[in-house]
Amino acid sequence: MRSAPSNVSLTGIKPTGEPHLGNFIGAIKPSLRLAESYESIYFIADYHALTSIRDPKLLAHYTRSVAATWLAAGLDPERTVFYRQSDVPETFELHWILSCFTSKGLMNRAHAYKAARDRNQEAGIADLDSGVTMGLYNYPVLMAADILIMESDVVPVGKDQLQHVEYAADIAGAFNAVYEGGYKFKIPEAITPSEDSGRSLPGTDGRKMSKSYGNTIELVAPEAQLRRTVRRIATDSTPVEAPKDPEASSVFQLLTHFATPEQVAEVRARLEAGGMGWGELKNELFAVLNEQLTPLRERYDALMRPDSELEEILRAGAERACERAQPVVAQVRETVGIG
């Protein structure tokens, strides 16, 4: 007997930095829309973040910051199970059990592990596993536990994260094949964005907006900081009076995600005709962003206060998550012969 209904969507958010516009467009908004048609479960993957964040105060801050951002963006904790990964200890028991059904060869092919070895090879380091921790190596198994313990039907991921869902399905299948008469894990499926919705937002240097490039525009930055960041977006030296190609402009591409269709059409026409400079376009982008993000920023600031309801929301979410996880682990324990 299953402890969770069908049509469950699970999303994990790793707290490794301040949320930015790329996160908002690429992950937050699509996930909130998905919650309208699925029973949604969102968790903050704080244990996953230990592979890269070793400052305890910073990890605690990023965890609260991510939680506050999603709530400020419109996540409804009454409708969505919203919790910290570390508050559900059953996940880590299941992680060990799943590890016993995961082949080393499968882990050897994991993208993150292979990328680490490739970097060592390119750097001329003889030990290709230098700097590789077991946390990084076993990362896909913990992610499989996150997915399977909530009996997820679908997991929305970017195309670069597709392998994690495939691994979860493979590991679940391996367990199910061994215990024919016991508990059966659901086999999860990935939901990937369409070509249009999955288009990457450009950062301040024109490359894909990413914390690793240091080119992000923070989602909840104070107004003055937001203005300065927008002003830093790279542009070319085309004169004000010269016609410009909107599609080649990072500033314009950002504008299309936040302005109204009428505003976008007007700006496009002015750029193509000439007479609108990059400085004016940046001012237009800042005004649009600031208008839309001010309510989100104010709600975020309120949630980040020490006396806010943030911790109570996460505690209540953890209780609901544990209620789902405990029956799953109990059935798995019984299946493998551990009373």
Side-chain angles (χ1 to χ4, degrees):
M1 182 177 68
R2 294 198 179 280
S3 58
S6 60
N7 299 322
V8 174
S9 171
L10 179 102
T11 296
I13 312 111
K14 190 162 69 169
T16 55
E18 300 292 356
H20 54 75
L21 295 187
N23 301 141
F24 184 64
I25 295 298
I28 295 176
K29 289 184 70 175
S31 293
L32 294 180
R33 285 195 299 269
L34 198 65
E36 298 172 2
S37 53
Y38 284 89
E39 181 176 5
S40 55
I41 302 175
Y42 296 160
F43 71 95
I44 305 165
D46 48 353
Y47 264 115
H48 279 299
L50 281 175
T51 59
S52 57
I53 304 294
R54 302 298 174 84
D55 182 325
K57 292 182 179 179
L58 194 59
L59 178 56
H61 167 75
Y62 283 157
T63 300
R64 296 188 80 247
S65 178
V66 166
T69 298
W70 278 75
L71 291 166
L75 186 147
D76 182 355
E78 296 295 326
R79 183 172 182 172
T80 296
V81 179
F82 188 50
Y83 63 98
R84 273 181 298 239
Q85 179 190 39
S86 56
D87 288 336
V88 183
E90 291 80 9
T91 301
F92 307 98
E93 180 178 356
L94 183 60
H95 169 245
W96 171 252
I97 295 172
L98 295 178
S99 296
C100 297
F101 296 87
T102 304
S103 70
K104 181 176 181 293
L106 189 67
M107 293 298 96
N108 287 345
R109 297 189 293 274
H111 293 329
Y113 175 59
K114 289 175 65 178
R117 287 174 60 88
D118 288 345
R119 286 193 296 269
N120 284 335
Q121 187 173 37
E122 291 170 3
I125 299 173
D127 179 7
L128 297 184
D129 283 333
S130 177
V132 175
T133 65
M134 291 306 297
L136 183 146
Y137 189 74
N138 289 329
Y139 192 102
V141 185
L142 180 54
M143 185 164 285
D146 293 321
I147 294 168
L148 299 176
I149 202 166
M150 293 297 159
E151 298 189 298
S152 310
D153 292 284
V154 297
V155 183
V157 290
K159 292 181 179 178
D160 59 337
Q161 296 292 312
L162 185 61
Q163 187 188 61
H164 288 303
V165 186
E166 294 171 344
Y167 272 29
D170 288 345
I171 295 168
F175 179 93
N176 291 350
V178 171
Y179 300 104
E180 295 184 0
Y183 176 79
K184 299 295 184 185
F185 285 112
K186 280 187 179 181
I187 305 299
E189 297 182 2
I191 294 179
T192 55
S194 65
E195 288 298 326
D196 183 62
S197 63
R199 186 174 49 174
S200 299
L201 249 65
T204 55
D205 60 359
R207 294 182 292 176
K208 174 185 175 181
M209 190 176 293
S210 171
K211 289 187 286 285
S212 61
Y213 293 150
N215 65 353
T216 62
I217 300 175
E218 290 185 13
L219 188 59
V220 293
E223 182 174 329
Q225 180 183 333
L226 177 62
R227 184 190 299 273
R228 289 193 300 270
T229 305
V230 170
R231 297 297 299 181
R232 288 202 304 269
I233 299 175
T235 53
D236 59 28
S237 57
T238 306
V240 172
E241 65 278 6
K244 301 170 184 66
D245 178 8
E247 300 304 323
S249 166
S250 297
V251 187
F252 181 81
Q253 293 306 313
L254 287 165
L255 185 73
T256 62
H257 287 275
F258 294 93
T260 66
E262 294 76 16
Q263 287 174 303
V264 172
E266 180 184 351
V267 170
R268 178 187 293 276
R270 292 188 60 196
L271 288 170
E272 291 176 342
M276 186 179 203
W278 297 130
E280 185 180 354
L281 178 58
K282 290 178 181 179
N283 290 340
E284 186 90 11
L285 174 61
F286 165 74
V288 168
L289 288 176
N290 195 52
E291 180 181 4
Q292 291 197 25
L293 297 181
T294 293
L296 190 155
R297 182 195 307 133
E298 291 174 348
R299 174 63 175 150
Y300 169 88
D301 289 341
L303 286 166
M304 287 297 287
R305 290 199 298 262
D307 60 347
S308 78
E309 68 270 33
L310 179 60
E311 287 300 322
E312 176 59 25
I313 290 172
L314 292 173
R315 183 199 62 76
E319 289 183 358
R320 294 170 64 190
C322 287
E323 288 175 0
R324 302 177 72 100
Q326 288 165 0
V328 172
V329 171
Q331 292 174 80
V332 170
R333 285 168 62 95
E334 181 180 358
T335 296
V336 302
I338 298 176

